[in-house]
Amino acid sequence: MAAIITVMLITLSLASLASALSVNYYDHTCPQVESIVAGAVHKATINDKTVPAALLRMHFHDCFIRGCDASVLLESKGKNKAEKDGPPNISLHAFYVIDNAKKAVEAVCPGIVSCADILALAARDAVTLSGGPTWDVPKGRKDGRISKAIETRQLPAPTFNISQLQQSFSQRGLSLDDLVALSGGHTLGFAHCSSLQNRIHNFSPKQDIDPSMNPSFASRLRSICPSPNKVKNAGAPLDSSSTLFDNAYYKLLLQGKSIFSSDQALLSHPNTKALVSKFGHSQEEFERAFVKSMIKMSSITDGGQEIRLHCKFVR
């Protein structure tokens, strides 16, 4: 069982991002919110072991578009195609967990808690339930009213190189350290064949397979994801313990057994490579860095304006 990690918001940059947030935000208005959300996540995880990975990814995809404002939860309406229907988000699932948590919270504290805060809490609980650390989530986010599928092009793609990743993260006030720590979220979850085909088929004019991949690992992936692939939803787990929050992702990366090009890219820069090695050799160091970066990322709160009554629709 991972040790409980408490991280203080001590840097000026992080404090400015989280200036409107507080870990005590609902102490007087809705003190039950954390236990209600945790209960909803736990109940869903008992029935579906993929829920934690889904919630963590959902929160990440939300924060990278317009900040952490629950815009990823909104439904498409009329001519407007919402974020959840953008190509990178088609495979997102477990929205019902947030809906169930919101319904339970509204029954106790009507009109008080934002969907954005519920999603941030659920992502934390997803990590903890998977054997990872816990932390105090700063709260007080507002829900956004704008959600556009076209903006999901801004999400970092699994094919990104290190320069593209660095640019994507820096635009959101996140450093190379944050990039490596948050990439560790790939310790949970599953990759569809479409996200890794570029590494195992027609990698270059001279090589069919990415030469940085472990040959036996690449061979196994090619058997799972042949070209053309006719098996719907075929793919592979992101690491060897894909329902357990641990540092296996980094260990496998160092062995040439990463799934995405964006994972492999972390070894192409001396600073990020050093962090991959550090986290691969120490679960504690990884957890400490991950918590710090999660708080930093989830404190990007640019676009929220309201408290939604239903997470799928604006008020």
Side-chain angles (χ1 to χ4, degrees):
M1 186 70 182
I4 293 177
I5 298 175
T6 302
V7 175
M8 300 297 291
L9 307 181
I10 57 174
T11 66
L12 288 175
S13 59
L14 185 51
S16 63
L17 279 173
S19 59
L21 306 181
S22 167
V23 296
N24 303 314
Y25 191 83
Y26 296 115
D27 281 6
H28 300 295
T29 56
C30 192
Q32 311 97 315
V33 60
E34 298 220 16
S35 61
I36 293 173
V37 174
V41 176
H42 182 258
K43 181 179 179 180
T45 300
I46 290 175
N47 296 319
D48 182 356
K49 298 301 181 184
T50 71
V51 161
L55 294 175
L56 183 58
R57 183 169 177 243
M58 190 187 299
H59 182 48
F60 182 94
H61 282 217
D62 181 44
C63 293
F64 261 61
I65 307 296
R66 296 182 174 271
C68 311
D69 66 347
S71 54
V72 74
L73 305 178
L74 289 171
E75 294 283 340
S76 296
K77 184 178 180 181
K79 295 182 179 180
N80 181 62
K81 193 175 180 182
E83 286 174 35
K84 66 165 57 175
D85 293 322
N89 287 341
I90 293 297
S91 59
L92 289 181
H93 69 285
F95 291 100
Y96 72 92
V97 182
I98 305 302
D99 292 335
N100 290 346
K102 175 64 170 175
K103 184 177 180 180
V105 170
E106 285 295 310
V108 177
C109 316
I112 299 295
V113 181
S114 67
C115 298
D117 276 346
I118 290 174
L119 180 52
L121 289 168
R124 186 273 312 273
D125 295 335
V127 170
T128 306
L129 281 171
S130 301
T134 190
W135 60 93
D136 291 328
V137 175
K139 297 168 286 290
R141 297 164 189 80
K142 295 295 189 292
D143 297 324
R145 298 178 58 85
I146 299 172
S147 184
K148 297 181 179 295
I150 194 171
E151 293 183 352
T152 60
R153 295 176 182 176
Q154 301 170 23
L155 290 168
T159 56
F160 270 14
N161 60 34
I162 191 64
S163 296
Q164 292 169 311
L165 288 169
Q166 184 174 11
Q167 181 181 25
S168 178
F169 275 66
S170 65
Q171 287 173 345
R172 293 156 178 86
L174 300 172
S175 66
L176 282 177
D177 289 19
D178 298 318
L179 165 61
V180 180
L182 292 172
S183 293
H186 287 171
T187 187
L188 299 177
F190 179 87
H192 290 94
C193 290
S194 59
S195 297
L196 54 96
Q197 289 280 13
N198 68 303
R199 299 191 72 197
I200 58 174
H201 298 291
N202 302 313
F203 177 72
S204 72
K206 295 183 178 180
Q207 294 172 304
D208 203 29
I209 299 172
D210 184 344
S212 66
M213 294 188 83
N214 176 286
S216 61
F217 180 68
S219 178
R220 184 171 70 83
L221 290 180
R222 280 169 64 91
S223 68
I224 296 170
C225 300
S227 181
N229 175 46
K230 298 181 179 180
V231 180
K232 186 179 180 181
N233 295 325
L238 289 176
D239 80 8
S240 56
S241 51
S242 60
T243 60
L244 181 66
F245 192 92
D246 58 18
N247 65 341
Y249 163 80
Y250 299 103
K251 294 178 180 179
L252 293 171
L253 178 51
L254 292 167
Q255 297 170 22
K257 297 179 181 179
S258 60
I259 294 289
F260 301 136
S261 296
S262 58
D263 296 325
Q264 180 64 31
L266 299 182
L267 298 182
S268 65
H269 187 288
N271 292 351
T272 54
K273 184 177 181 179
L275 284 170
V276 169
S277 180
K278 179 180 180 180
F279 298 156
H281 287 90
S282 174
Q283 172 88 10
E284 184 178 352
E285 290 288 352
F286 164 48
E287 290 186 355
R288 184 180 295 113
F290 182 82
V291 167
K292 182 178 179 180
S293 294
M294 276 293 288
I295 293 174
K296 187 175 178 181
M297 181 195 74
S298 69
S299 298
I300 303 171
T301 55
D302 297 335
Q305 299 168 306
E306 65 181 19
I307 304 295
R308 283 184 222 142
L309 298 181
H310 302 280
C311 291
K312 294 181 179 180
F313 311 105
V314 297
R315 294 191 70 165

